[in-house]
Amino acid sequence: MAIQWFPGHMNTARKQVAETMAKVDLVIEVVDARLPLSSSNPMIEPMRRLRQRPALKVLNKADLADPRLNKIWLEWFKSQPGTEAVLLGEDNKIQGAKLIPQLCQALAPHRDGEEKPLRAMIVGIPNVGKSTLINHLAKRKIAKVADTPGVTKMQQRVETLAGMILYDTPGLMWPKVQNEDSGYRLAMAGSIGRNAYDEVDVALYAIETLVERYPQLLLDRYKLKDLLGDAEPLFELIGKKRGAMLSGGRIDTQKTADMILTEFRSGTLGRITLETPDDFLEMPVYDPNDEVELPDPDL
């Protein structure tokens, strides 16, 4: 499933990001801790490297992710050139947000004080929590928060009490997600518009993933005796157990799929991480042959 979801405003946003990259000191990229690399926009990396800008990766929604894999992903990002990383979730939102200005300052020590305030651009795919982070850093409600991807459509400039200048950008996807697993994971997390995928197909992928990586959570949540067989019979059994039925004893597949995806996204299924760094050793998240528009280095 090669996901393609690139609304018109995102093309404008991509150009804005390229232009803004030239006037900031660093990039803060917010990713989903449950799918850290699949939710990292591969268009950002060549842009920031071209400008030689350091990056702070904020692994948001860490309270919904597997604690063991949170640590693994945190260290993996920190091992990348010019990159720092931090975990952020409901269980440590205040503490995590307080660390961000300190980490940014360490990445750009030459920018300090009123005359040379530190300038950072916040980027991320849709529905990953950028607006919530902006509001916490600004200590006031500035950015609109919603569960629907693509709400923020305009770039805005925000000054924080800590003396930082933040450039908030719209949630930005890349034109085509070539990695099939990444496409399914992004759909599971609700990071792309619902018109770009089939919920039943994604729910079946979710069941396959849980059987492979978190079988006990699946057994416990839906009170299943075993996980034998393919995903489709398990999907139907879950629908029956939850009363998602139509007339004639048929499964309401749409209701069942919505329920499974909602329970994953909310954390009701448990703390789940869909990928590890090893998953990308042979299959990149992005096809380098795809066209990526880079800013002119002379601008």
Side-chain angles (χ1 to χ4, degrees):
M1 182 176 70
I3 291 287
Q4 295 189 68
W5 186 66
F6 202 66
H9 75 273
M10 286 193 185
N11 193 44
T12 301
R14 178 168 60 172
K15 294 177 181 178
Q16 289 179 337
V17 167
E19 292 170 358
T20 305
M21 189 78 70
K23 59 184 179 183
V24 298
D25 306 299
L26 62 96
V27 176
I28 300 173
E29 183 175 14
V30 185
V31 301
D32 190 324
R34 299 168 298 178
L35 49 153
L37 199 51
S38 290
S39 60
S40 296
N41 191 326
M43 295 194 301
I44 301 301
E45 200 66 13
M47 287 183 187
R48 80 169 186 87
R49 291 194 179 188
L50 184 66
R51 294 291 187 185
Q52 298 182 323
R53 301 297 189 254
L56 172 64
K57 298 278 188 173
V58 178
L59 281 71
N60 199 26
K61 305 184 183 183
D63 55 311
L64 303 178
D66 187 325
R68 181 182 66 85
L69 287 174
N70 277 344
K71 295 178 182 178
I72 290 174
W73 275 111
L74 190 66
E75 292 307 313
W76 186 87
F77 278 117
K78 287 182 176 183
S79 70
Q80 304 307 302
T83 305
E84 184 55 88
V86 64
L87 296 172
L88 192 66
E90 289 295 335
D91 53 350
N92 74 329
K93 187 170 286 183
I94 296 176
Q95 180 182 359
K98 284 182 178 179
L99 285 175
I100 289 175
Q102 301 172 28
L103 294 172
C104 289
Q105 194 63 64
L107 287 169
H110 62 291
R111 302 292 299 191
D112 190 17
E114 295 182 3
E115 294 185 5
K116 294 196 301 180
L118 192 153
R119 305 158 301 177
M121 177 170 60
I122 297 187
V123 298
I125 65 171
N127 204 29
V128 80
K130 291 188 298 79
S131 296
T132 300
L133 177 59
I134 283 277
N135 292 338
H136 273 280
L137 292 176
K139 292 185 169 36
R140 60 191 187 278
K141 188 174 181 180
I142 294 175
K144 187 175 182 180
V145 177
D147 290 332
T148 304
V151 170
T152 304
K153 292 182 171 62
M154 298 290 291
Q155 189 176 88
Q156 60 178 337
R157 182 180 184 274
V158 178
E159 294 188 20
T160 74
L161 297 178
M164 291 175 58
I165 297 176
L166 304 176
Y167 292 88
D168 181 23
T169 62
L172 181 62
M173 281 292 293
W174 52 107
K176 188 175 182 180
V177 182
Q178 295 282 12
N179 185 321
E180 184 175 284
D181 287 307
S182 290
Y184 276 114
R185 292 164 187 162
L186 288 163
M188 280 182 65
S191 295
I192 50 181
R194 293 186 66 171
N195 61 336
Y197 61 90
D198 178 81
E199 287 93 342
V200 174
D201 194 25
V202 175
L204 289 172
Y205 177 86
I207 290 174
E208 292 175 351
T209 300
L210 291 171
V211 168
E212 178 185 354
R213 304 192 182 211
Y214 296 93
Q216 196 59 49
L217 292 181
L218 194 61
L219 288 166
D220 293 344
R221 179 61 189 167
Y222 298 117
K223 297 179 171 55
L224 303 173
K225 293 181 180 179
D226 58 60
L227 298 175
L228 301 176
D230 296 330
E232 288 189 20
L234 287 173
F235 177 85
E236 292 189 3
L237 182 57
I238 290 170
K240 286 180 181 178
K241 283 182 169 289
R242 287 302 181 89
M245 306 294 293
L246 298 170
S247 59
R250 294 176 296 127
I251 296 295
D252 188 333
T253 56
Q254 188 63 49
K255 186 175 180 180
T256 302
D258 286 344
M259 179 265 297
I260 292 171
L261 296 178
T262 297
E263 293 197 346
F264 164 73
R265 292 167 184 168
S266 65
T268 305
L269 276 170
R271 298 186 64 169
I272 294 167
T273 298
L274 300 175
E275 58 195 30
T276 70
D278 289 344
D279 292 332
F280 296 91
L281 293 178
E282 297 181 359
M283 184 179 292
V285 67
Y286 185 71
D287 186 346
N289 294 319
D290 276 1
E291 182 180 352
V292 178
E293 182 178 326
L294 294 175
D296 185 339
D298 295 326
L299 287 178

